[in-house]
Amino acid sequence: MQNRRTDRGSFFPVFWKVDSHYPLMDFHKDCNLSQPEDVAIYAEGKYNVKLDGKLFEGTPTTINVPAGQHRINVKVFNQASVPTIYVKGKTVVSDSSWLLTFEDKEWIDETGKTSDVSATKWLNAGSWNFNSPTNLPSQFKLPVVSQSAVSTTANSTSRLIDFGKETFGFVKLHGVKGSGAMTLYYGESKEEALSKDGAVTLDRLQFSNVSKQDSTMPLSKAFRYVNVVMEPTLNLDSVSMLYEYADVKDRGSFKCSDEEINRIYDVAKYTLHLATREFFIDGIKRDRWVWSGDAYQSYLMNYYLFFDSPTVERTMAALRGKDPVTGHINTIMDYTFYWFLGIYDYYLYTGDKSFIKNFYPRMQSMMEYVLGRRNKDGLLQGLPGDWIFIDWANGLSKKGEVSFEQMLFARSLETMALCADIVNDDRGKTTYTKLSDDLKKKLFSLYWNSSKHALVHSRVDGKQTGNVTRYANMFGIFFNYFNDAQKQEVKQHVLLNDSIQKITTPYMHFYELEALCAMGEQDYVLKQMKDYWGGMLNLGATSFWEEYNPTKKGAEHYAMYGREFGKSLCHAWGASPIYLLGKYYLGVKPTAAGYATYTIEPKLGGLQWMQGEVPTPAGNIQVYCSTTQMKVKGAAGKGLLSFQSKTKPICKEGVIEAKGGNNYTLMIEPDKAYTVRYKAK
Amino acid sequence: MQNRRTDRGSFFPVFWKVDSHYPLMDFHKDCNLSQPEDVAIYAEGKYNVKLDGKLFEGTPTTINVPAGQHRINVKVFNQASVPTIYVKGKTVVSDSSWLLTFEDKEWIDETGKTSDVSATKWLNAGSWNFNSPTNLPSQFKLPVVSQSAVSTTANSTSRLIDFGKETFGFVKLHGVKGSGAMTLYYGESKEEALSKDGAVTLDRLQFSNVSKQDSTMPLSKAFRYVNVVMEPTLNLDSVSMLYEYADVKDRGSFKCSDEEINRIYDVAKYTLHLATREFFIDGIKRDRWVWSGDAYQSYLMNYYLFFDSPTVERTMAALRGKDPVTGHINTIMDYTFYWFLGIYDYYLYTGDKSFIKNFYPRMQSMMEYVLGRRNKDGLLQGLPGDWIFIDWANGLSKKGEVSFEQMLFARSLETMALCADIVNDDRGKTTYTKLSDDLKKKLFSLYWNSSKHALVHSRVDGKQTGNVTRYANMFGIFFNYFNDAQKQEVKQHVLLNDSIQKITTPYMHFYELEALCAMGEQDYVLKQMKDYWGGMLNLGATSFWEEYNPTKKGAEHYAMYGREFGKSLCHAWGASPIYLLGKYYLGVKPTAAGYATYTIEPKLGGLQWMQGEVPTPAGNIQVYCSTTQMKVKGAAGKGLLSFQSKTKPICKEGVIEAKGGNNYTLMIEPDKAYTVRYKAK
């Protein structure tokens, strides 16, 4: 995945460290059979098989396992791709009950005796849907489906093909005839495809006396337009494409009375689909890489759309890589912290502890690395090799100790404490709790400026800078680090203050709008969404962009990184309406791990009605809400519908509790439909 | 290498952790050209090329580098095998002047500007003799040469082929006819080849209606005999082999008046040749693995025979693997320490600091691991996962804190201090020196037993055990940890004391005889060599064994590890006479790194005459010595011939200095021949 980006036909891989798998792996399974059984064994790699410690001769493809208690070991070597096994008996099959090690700590002495103390550490084997011996994990490819162009503009030496919207896949040429050179210039915009010098991706081909040849490009690309430029000695019939996609299903949905919001939701959904591949990547033209800060937002959107856990786990595992830690994740300090935060959310939404149990040692070593880089005041500032990213924002200072980084650091330490608790590391829990408590205190003692009613952006040389930015202040709200008075101050003096530097990326708009939603500003946020995402749609966007600055004009919008068409026009972080509409309008969120308990707090934010579904580990939660009626149906956990009504609400299926003022709640039992008649404020 | 062992046809890899290479590598070279030049670029893997930070389009095979100062980057991705490049210009070529990184710490901001602080760490690229684009490092194979059998014993369904001596390579069948099953049983002994159930290695083949087919086995094996057993429906003309060898040349030599010693030297040489392959391995039948304790002895023998530095470096690098350290090298505590000692010796013999400079960080992390496993008394005892090996010796206790391990630990800390000095790590030098000094003091305060006149074997529960073994005591002599009185006590009460458990492996005989030689017991050691190695030759050995116990009879000698033919009959650690004869009889050893200074102290040890050569980085040192005459010719450094004579010695080419008693010295200038007339004591 990290090696499929190209730039002007050049291979363009990531710049950070890439780890490889352990090439030698020992898998084992303990089983207790009531009947003997034949067990077929396949492996990707050279392998051997043991039964109860005794090696079979050669490389058996089937072994007979007698009745009773037995241990089967399969040891596989594969340097080129990950060692894997496929085992198929009547009861003994390759599944997640197998354990593995890459380091046996057991040896045999000169008399043939096995050492009496084994310190071998066994981990849970990964397992997925490779359900036949010919279905090799190393050969995994996403599915494709053929799609036709919407229009073609042709002249004698070129064809400009428009696929109607942003898409991704393998271009297919039909009926090429003749000899000569051909270049395919890809464009997310028409301007890019038509710019022979500016198009970021291209394919250069050479044909020699072909007649009616079809060719499919070897590497998938992101584009809406393809400009095929060829020598006059060449001709071609038509161009189509194979759309490549991750087969994840929409479980969540949203529809409402505002057609523009519906279009925004649909384009956000399509944007997230495009950027969800083997892993959650940033953008499909560029970088096609797994970036932790980008992926973190995809996880959250995923919980409101696909609820696809394997993609989250794969992405978090890929980001972390192997020990030793020699730098921040993606080299970016903030991105290390988003990795921790992603684990917290994963547990909260899915209730699955297995990732934490397998990865806790790598969480510890990652945090050790961070702790080892604190300065004498216990704060983090950029050391050589640390990229302080925060956001793409003109002139943003990265100097000294940035408050935003300390806040993410504190949240990461809280995550460590939570995970320590899950894996029963009592000492770790105490340590991490103390560290996060101390750091949270420092956040206020060192950065809060009461005359500015906000946290300042940074300290330089031990002194507060006067600069106030939105970043730490908006996170402080939904991290719940501020008290109520501080929240109001921050809202007025930072979030709703136009003199504070504006955000121009959907990336940070995600958090800005989340902070405002968390404070009940759904009406304001709905307008912002229509302005900002609606603004992109008005410019013809068919997927959401990496950055959008409404003050720019025409093709200026496509420039970035000092390049005319440097901007990515399909970037996962552009899809945040999925998350905001599910969590803060439909109002569904877990309050205990895996939706054991959850709340539904519908907020119309000015809409006449809305309806949708939010996925949970065991079924969807359904919500319909108009100004006079709500219909909800819960999933497996215990839900709490919470709302305001100007009149006394009525529900036949449950007992509504009045909470004072206009506030009411209703307990939502699993799998039961409720209708509430009420009057929105 | 670690994956080519088979056992009864089963794949039998190492059990410890195997690391893979970093799959993504950035190579660069800064050059200053007086003329522009075309530079051809080849890589194993997907790659891109930059000139002065600017990416070339596509995958260029030739670039033009203008005159002046330029930087060329080639970035290569290869998961299956190590990323490599071959660059060929007029002056710009791929050599060891290139630097590489697997972790760029430089990024580009949204305006296209490169980050101002790069923390990228560049390492020296490895370089070897792959001198054409088709000569791929990943396809490297040792050379082979065809060899014929010495005799064949045939009957209708089998052929017993004898190659006359232990050998290694690919068996080739000539003129196979018919259909049916054939099995090749390999034997280092005739008994093993004839034992269908006991032969450790075999090949099972199936032929279907072939006529005069030649077949070469895909995997090389160790054997003297091959027993070809086939169904009566098969026939074959003859069997030969392709002998596979590392093309390292003998630079050292030894010849003397004792024909048995000459045979021992020749068989030792052959043994070391067989066990010197891509790396120094333990034995050619078994384990075919790189073991640090075994390799350590091969390094030392190598300095007196091949002086092949690449094999030493490769072996040390392979043993260390990557961070993080999760166990001892080969899981064995003593083997971790031999790794450190090997680096010390490598520097002493070759004078090459490059390995130390590249590997110092991994030396530090390896030592951190060890230091982290000390107990409250600062000593090491076996923790779960630590194999305390020492030697194959019946009933040897590994409990508690074994003195031998502390002694190797102390020597390893001394090595760290030495290397810290070489890389200018002043703090490290101070720390490691203090740690080794403290530990050496403890060795005597805790383990020296004056009534036993020796170091005891171990402490258990904080108390000395009464047990005395040879291990720590013999190392203490040539590490020079004992004072002269202690050396004499140890010699009498341990080394020459038959009631102390005897050594039955050539492995520990190496050190025992070295200790005795270091104390001037060359006469005694010569007899030991004739007894022990001569004993193996008398039993028909054509290479030296993993273990030899003279009290055993017949085929009993071949058993080990609870298996009838479990013993390896060609084990590198059997070849120590190469080292002992070069260092303690010819008497040549470096006294400063890389033979900048060295001594020659010939000791006949009862021989009438001896002559030989000892390789150094710049040429061989030649020594001839009889009871009345010595002829020496030095290499590049400053030598000192040191000897005893009953008469006043005479030399025309230099000035002999009398040192009192019968002791004399003569300075040996580079490349000059000296003849000394004298009379041996």
Side-chain angles (χ1 to χ4, degrees), chain A residues 464-494:
Chain A
Q464 270 195 16
T465 59
N467 188 18
V468 174
T469 56
R470 291 169 192 263
Y471 310 104
N473 289 298
M474 61 205 194
F475 275 69
I477 288 170
F478 52 80
F479 282 179
N480 222 15
Y481 283 4
F482 294 132
N483 60 34
D484 285 344
Q486 286 169 330
K487 282 184 188 172
Q488 292 304 326
E489 287 180 84
V490 163
K491 183 164 110 180
Q492 294 312 318
H493 295 275
V494 184

Side-chain angles (χ1 to χ4, degrees), chain B residues 31 80 94 194 209 408 638:
Chain B
C31 55
S94 44
L194 290 173
N209 203 19
L408 292 185
K638 286 259 181 190

Side-chain angles (χ1 to χ4, degrees), chain A residues 640-645 647-649 655-667:
Chain A
L640 186 74
L641 177 69
S642 180
F643 61 99
Q644 295 185 310
S645 178
T647 59
K648 186 171 186 301
V655 181
I656 292 174
E657 280 191 52
K659 292 293 186 182
N662 293 329
N663 298 303
Y664 299 91
T665 64
L666 171 66
M667 289 292 300

